[in-house]
Amino acid sequence: MNIHSSRCRKIVSLSTNSNAEFMNKPSTSYYNDEKTVISASDVSSDEYNDSSDEWLPFNSKEGNEIETDSDNSFNNSSTKLTKFDDLFQEEKKIIDETEIKLVIKEILDKIENDNAIVFEENTLPESDVELCRWRRGNKMKWKKAISAKEKKLSKTPKIVDCTNCKFKCSLNVDEDYRIKLCSHFWTLEYNRQKDYILSCVTQAPVKRHVSEQVRKAKEFSKMYTFILNSSEKVRVCKQFFLKTLAISHGPVDKAFEGFENGIFINNDKRGKTPSKTKTPSDVICEIKSHIEKFPTIESHYCRATTKRKYLDPTLSIAKMYELYLEDCKSRELDSKYFICLTVYRNIFCKNYNLDFYKPKKDQCLQCETYKKLSKPQEEQIINNYENHIRRRDESFSAKQLDKERASNNNNFCSATFDLQSVLQIPSSDVSSMYYSRKICTYNLTLYEAAPPNRAFCFLWTELNGQKGSSEIGTAIYKWIQQLSENITEISLYSDTCSGQNRNQFVAALFLYIVTHSRIETITHNFMESGHSYMEVDSMHSTIESAKKNVPVYTMQDWLTICRLARSNRHNKKCSNYTVQELKYTDFLDLKSLANMIMKNRSLDMKGNKVNWLKIKVLKYEKNMSGVIQFKYNYSDKEFNIIRISGRGRPTKFPDNLKNLYDKPLPISALKKNDLMKLCKTQAIPEEFHEWYKSIPSCSKKKETVILSESENDSD
């Protein structure tokens, strides 16, 4: 904005200060009839920033020095003070009132926009709240910031003795008004404080110099004033002015250093000096590049509410730091790149929203949330928690009763099943493995409750199938086919994952089994969400312990590890896990079965809507063909009934089930490239290269989420 200097001073002087009642009169500037005077106006701002740290201490030598020469120059009787109005009349410049208002609005809008830009730079949008691992703190709520703000607002005028002052400052300005002036000044933002100083202080070249200079002559002399009664300007001495505002002469000098076109244009430069110990930007870029080399996956359940991604569970920040140092050594980088663990951790946590996948089966979110409430007042919260605990106890009691019954009844079998967290091929301690995508391997484990507690592992890779309800149901069907001939009733326990266990597709399979086999009754029980620990979970920890320090390059390696995970050293009656690999030709299409036989799945016989996510028990009987019995609570005395055929003809089941896949599934092209790199660098032994090369890939294939769906329950 190009505005003539004198015109800008005239216009800015018309702006009023809305922050203080005693600053209502347009600020006026003065000039000496022999020398031009520099001036500025008071521009208010609601922003607040501490500016006292930059200024010199009030008790410094420079701050107490009195400008005697300059004071004498202003007391010359020939000196006349003239307002800018007179100056414009002398220059014969007439400014229309409308034009003045427009320019004033333009100036204030510019100041407002500048403040908005600064605010936007320091404010993070809501969409970026979760972009880092550590929570972002609000600096304005820090004790340090609050203390600084309180210190500013508690500023009071300093004691000054002006009884012998030629301006009689103490008589012209009372103590209450000094307190108001000081309080108003310290509510202003940094730039507005400088504008206020410029509106009260005028500067002119020194008119008279002493011939013999003891010290360096000053180029300018200053005149200090305060406004009284919104109209009258009162001349005060330097010490009275500075001590009234509780400042030193440093802020005055800074104000005139940044003076241009009637306002203070400089910015607050405190804290802008770069730190000598700060990590160089190229080193930070190198660390970020290393972190981004590790493949990440999304959370299965929380991806709708969080942007957090997960790294390999075998990794940690310390392990990643060690890999970073190894990478720097191999590339022979400069010593500046060998930073400490603290720097690496800070960059990792402040720039990335990453975590390391670790199952948390034993932690119930609802219970932990309730415990954090000091004194729950709402009756609904208390009732929900009590019902949650009741369902938990009922599920454990039912499982224990079935366990005892299975031990005493040869015709009854009780078992628990769960999908283990995803295993990977290949897997070893070679550092390049951590940077590569790997083939996902799924393991459905099943544990029989009655001695000798037979345990089964059904494994397949992502080349043969996914981990949906059809794959889970097929593995259970394979187990049922291996039961002894005397078993006629089965009771199964699982978590409440609706994508794998509690759905219409698995229900259709159980209906098919009781219709086409010797099994007369199948009861499927669901543990309470957050408390789904079962005996089968012990198999997972046993397999993970057996895997430690054992490299895996093919599916056969995992089969061997699972087969030898349990030994009979401590229990002679137990045997090794029964391990079976499933191929793509083994999986059954349960979705097509459900679409064929289940015409009704949403209404019970009473016409009520069925809430599948709240069902706790599902029962299927041979003598009730085409009927699903269910209960919402273990304690319910009667079962509700779903007639899958609706009101039509009796359900007709197919004689044979269709296969789910007709060929192996491809992996993504990115994953195939990573595997080929591992072969090229000999991270994978040469004898396995041909198998990895034969794996089909597809450029449109999405990355497989490696988190187990049984990590959390889906209620």
Side-chain angles (χ1 to χ4, degrees):
M1 179 175 62
N2 296 324
I3 303 176
H4 191 274
S5 175
S6 61
R7 177 182 174 186
C8 181
R9 290 196 298 272
K10 169 67 179 178
I11 294 171
V12 176
S13 66
L14 296 177
S15 63
T16 59
N17 184 348
S18 60
N19 291 332
E21 296 180 357
F22 51 84
M23 300 295 289
N24 294 325
K25 185 180 183 298
S27 174
T28 56
S29 181
Y30 299 87
Y31 78 100
N32 189 287
D33 57 355
E34 297 182 8
K35 301 289 182 180
T36 303
V37 180
I38 301 174
S39 174
S41 66
D42 176 23
V43 181
S44 65
S45 172
D46 293 334
E47 297 288 336
Y48 144 74
N49 188 14
D50 189 3
S51 58
S52 61
D53 296 340
E54 181 187 86
W55 298 350
L56 296 175
F58 183 78
N59 58 359
S60 65
K61 182 177 180 181
E62 295 180 2
N64 293 327
E65 184 179 353
I66 301 176
E67 303 178 4
T68 54
D69 294 340
S70 62
D71 292 340
N72 292 333
S73 65
F74 282 107
N75 287 325
N76 193 330
S77 60
S78 62
T79 302
K80 295 182 180 180
L81 300 177
T82 309
K83 295 184 179 180
F84 269 129
D85 298 336
D86 301 332
L87 177 61
F88 272 86
Q89 290 177 5
E90 291 179 4
E91 296 179 356
K92 298 180 180 180
K93 292 184 179 180
I94 302 174
I95 301 177
D96 184 73
E97 183 179 355
T98 304
E99 183 182 357
I100 293 175
K101 291 181 179 180
L102 290 175
V103 178
I104 291 174
K105 184 178 183 300
E106 190 175 351
I107 294 173
L108 296 177
D109 289 344
K110 181 178 183 302
I111 296 172
E112 207 172 300
N113 292 334
D114 291 341
N115 291 335
I117 292 173
V118 173
F119 176 78
E120 289 175 2
E121 289 176 351
N122 296 329
T123 305
L124 293 169
E126 293 181 0
S127 60
D128 293 340
V129 170
E130 293 188 357
L131 289 182
C132 65
R133 179 182 173 95
W134 286 347
R135 293 182 300 174
R136 290 186 175 94
N138 186 353
K139 293 184 178 181
M140 297 306 297
K141 294 183 180 180
W142 290 0
K143 291 183 179 180
K144 180 180 178 180
I146 295 175
S147 176
K149 183 176 181 179
E150 292 176 350
K151 182 179 179 181
K152 270 187 64 171
L153 298 179
S154 63
K155 291 280 186 177
T156 55
K158 305 297 181 182
I159 299 174
V160 58
D161 184 10
C162 286
T163 53
N164 298 326
C165 176
K166 56 188 171 185
F167 300 117
K168 306 300 181 183
C169 307
S170 300
L171 299 177
N172 294 331
V173 182
D174 59 22
E175 193 64 26
D176 292 339
Y177 195 71
R178 289 184 70 206
I179 295 175
K180 288 183 179 180
L181 289 172
C182 183
S183 176
H184 164 70
F185 177 80
W186 285 103
T187 58
L188 300 177
E189 180 260 347
Y190 178 83
N191 284 30
R192 304 293 77 80
Q193 285 181 341
K194 299 299 183 287
D195 289 333
Y196 177 79
I197 292 173
L198 291 172
S199 68
C200 297
V201 182
T202 54
Q203 178 175 277
V206 176
K207 296 173 57 177
R208 177 172 57 85
H209 293 282
V210 181
S211 57
E212 295 180 0
Q213 296 292 339
V214 178
R215 59 182 176 86
K216 182 180 178 181
K218 292 187 294 184
E219 298 179 2
F220 298 94
S221 58
K222 297 181 178 66
M223 181 183 72
Y224 301 87
T225 59
F226 281 129
I227 298 178
L228 296 180
N229 302 324
S230 301
S231 60
E232 181 183 0
K233 269 204 170 186
V234 177
R235 177 77 183 278
V236 296
C237 67
K238 174 183 177 179
Q239 288 288 49
F240 187 85
F241 180 85
L242 298 179
K243 291 190 176 183
T244 297
L245 300 182
I247 61 175
S248 67
H249 71 88
V252 179
D253 296 340
K254 286 288 183 182
F256 282 96
E257 288 177 8
F259 171 80
E260 184 177 329
N261 293 335
I263 59 175
F264 182 77
I265 62 172
N266 284 356
N267 294 322
D268 188 0
K269 298 180 180 180
R270 294 170 299 164
K272 303 298 189 294
T273 304
S275 174
K276 295 181 180 180
T277 59
K278 185 177 180 180
T279 306
S281 58
D282 54 341
V283 176
I284 295 177
C285 292
E286 187 67 30
I287 296 173
K288 288 183 178 180
S289 176
H290 178 262
I291 295 174
E292 292 168 1
K293 289 180 181 179
F294 295 92
T296 60
I297 47 87
E298 295 179 347
S299 172
H300 179 76
Y301 288 104
C302 304
R303 60 177 178 266
T305 57
T306 182
K307 295 181 180 179
R308 173 163 290 188
K309 294 187 177 182
Y310 293 84
L311 297 169
D312 193 308
T314 59
L315 281 174
S316 65
I317 297 179
K319 179 65 175 177
M320 293 174 67
Y321 171 70
E322 293 176 2
L323 296 172
Y324 168 75
L325 295 181
E326 292 178 6
D327 184 46
C328 293
K329 290 178 182 178
S330 63
R331 296 163 56 191
E332 298 181 355
L333 297 179
D334 295 339
S335 59
K336 67 177 182 179
Y337 290 95
F338 291 83
I339 45 87
C340 63
L341 175 60
T342 303
V343 175
Y344 191 94
R345 187 186 301 277
N346 289 340
I347 295 175
F348 180 89
C349 297
K350 291 181 180 179
N351 295 275
Y352 298 95
N353 189 18
L354 299 175
D355 202 352
F356 305 97
Y357 167 67
K358 292 180 178 61
K360 298 181 180 179
K361 285 182 170 292
D362 297 333
Q363 296 181 8
C364 176
L365 178 61
Q366 186 170 348
C367 292
E368 292 297 323
T369 304
Y370 184 84
K371 290 177 182 178
K372 292 179 181 179
L373 300 176
S374 57
K375 291 183 179 180
Q377 300 294 334
E378 297 185 14
E379 185 178 354
Q380 183 178 359
I381 296 177
I382 299 175
N383 292 336
N384 290 340
Y385 176 73
E386 291 177 350
N387 292 332
H388 171 70
I389 297 300
R390 175 183 56 80
R391 292 192 299 268
R392 179 201 65 182
D393 296 339
E394 288 177 353
S395 63
F396 281 116
S397 298
K399 183 163 67 68
Q400 182 63 28
L401 290 175
D402 283 349
K403 183 178 180 179
E404 296 175 357
R405 182 187 173 192
S407 301
N408 301 323
N409 189 346
N410 294 331
N411 298 327
F412 178 77
C413 178
S414 178
T416 58
F417 70 91
D418 194 8
L419 186 68
Q420 187 178 359
S421 58
V422 176
L423 312 176
Q424 296 180 342
I425 300 175
S427 176
S428 70
D429 292 334
V430 179
S431 60
S432 56
M433 289 284 186
Y434 297 108
Y435 306 109
S436 303
R437 302 168 180 85
K438 308 174 188 68
I439 299 174
C440 297
T441 303
Y442 309 111
N443 180 23
L444 181 75
T445 54
L446 194 144
Y447 189 92
E448 295 182 1
N453 305 117
R454 292 193 307 166
F456 296 80
C457 295
F458 296 93
L459 293 94
W460 68 95
T461 66
E462 62 176 304
L463 303 174
N464 293 296
Q466 300 177 1
K467 53 174 183 176
S469 56
S470 293
E471 288 82 0
I472 301 299
T474 300
I476 297 174
Y477 187 38
K478 294 287 184 182
W479 168 73
I480 293 177
Q481 290 176 333
Q482 301 178 37
L483 292 175
S484 60
E485 295 182 357
N486 60 312
I487 298 297
T488 59
E489 184 177 354
I490 299 173
S491 178
L492 295 172
Y493 286 85
S494 68
D495 58 28
T496 57
C497 178
S498 58
Q500 297 172 348
N501 310 321
R502 188 168 54 183
N503 53 61
Q504 54 180 313
F505 311 118
V506 176
L509 174 67
F510 289 156
L511 284 172
Y512 177 85
I513 291 174
V514 297
T515 305
H516 290 77
S517 69
R518 68 181 183 283
I519 305 299
E520 297 180 357
T521 304
I522 296 178
T523 305
H524 191 180
N525 306 276
F526 302 97
M527 306 297 292
E528 178 63 13
S529 176
H531 301 276
S532 58
Y533 176 77
M534 301 171 289
E535 291 80 359
V536 71
D537 293 326
S538 63
M539 297 178 62
H540 303 166
S541 60
T542 303
I543 294 172
E544 290 172 1
S545 298
K547 163 61 180 68
K548 287 183 179 180
N549 303 321
V550 178
V552 173
Y553 300 108
T554 64
M555 184 64 168
Q556 294 302 321
D557 295 332
W558 275 120
L559 295 175
T560 303
I561 291 172
C562 294
R563 192 173 291 112
L564 301 177
R566 182 170 74 168
S567 66
N568 59 359
R569 182 175 56 183
H570 300 291
N571 187 356
K572 299 299 181 182
K573 295 182 180 181
C574 74
S575 59
N576 294 338
Y577 296 151
T578 302
V579 180
Q580 183 176 350
E581 180 184 5
L582 300 180
K583 300 290 187 178
Y584 70 92
T585 54
D586 296 323
F587 293 113
L588 305 174
D589 189 358
L590 302 186
K591 293 184 179 180
S592 63
L593 174 64
N595 293 333
M596 182 185 302
I597 67 174
M598 298 188 69
K599 305 302 181 183
N600 170 50
R601 62 180 71 91
S602 58
L603 296 177
D604 61 15
M605 298 229 7
K606 297 180 180 179
N608 299 322
K609 187 175 181 179
V610 179
N611 191 340
W612 283 79
L613 294 180
K614 292 186 177 181
I615 292 177
K616 286 301 176 184
V617 182
L618 287 169
K619 190 175 183 179
Y620 315 87
E621 294 183 352
K622 186 183 289 291
N623 57 1
M624 298 182 67
S625 179
V627 169
I628 300 176
Q629 305 176 62
F630 70 94
K631 292 195 297 185
Y632 291 121
N633 296 287
Y634 284 93
S635 57
D636 293 345
K637 296 181 179 180
E638 296 182 357
F639 281 92
N640 299 311
I641 296 176
I642 303 175
R643 188 175 297 279
I644 61 174
S645 60
R647 297 181 180 179
R649 298 177 180 178
T651 305
K652 183 178 180 180
F653 291 90
D655 295 331
N656 299 309
L657 300 179
K658 296 180 181 179
N659 289 336
L660 182 61
Y661 306 110
D662 57 358
K663 60 181 180 180
L665 305 180
I667 62 175
S668 67
L670 294 175
K671 185 175 291 187
K672 180 65 177 289
N673 291 337
D674 286 353
L675 295 175
M676 291 299 98
K677 290 179 181 178
L678 293 176
C679 292
K680 186 177 180 180
T681 59
Q682 298 300 318
I684 298 176
E686 188 173 356
E687 56 265 28
F688 305 113
H689 289 184
E690 290 301 323
W691 180 75
Y692 283 97
K693 291 179 181 179
S694 64
I695 296 175
S697 62
C698 178
S699 58
K700 297 182 180 180
K701 178 76 174 181
K702 293 183 178 180
E703 287 299 321
T704 305
V705 177
I706 71 169
L707 292 185
S708 171
E709 292 197 28
S710 59
E711 173 191 354
N712 293 310
D713 299 333
S714 58
D715 282 346

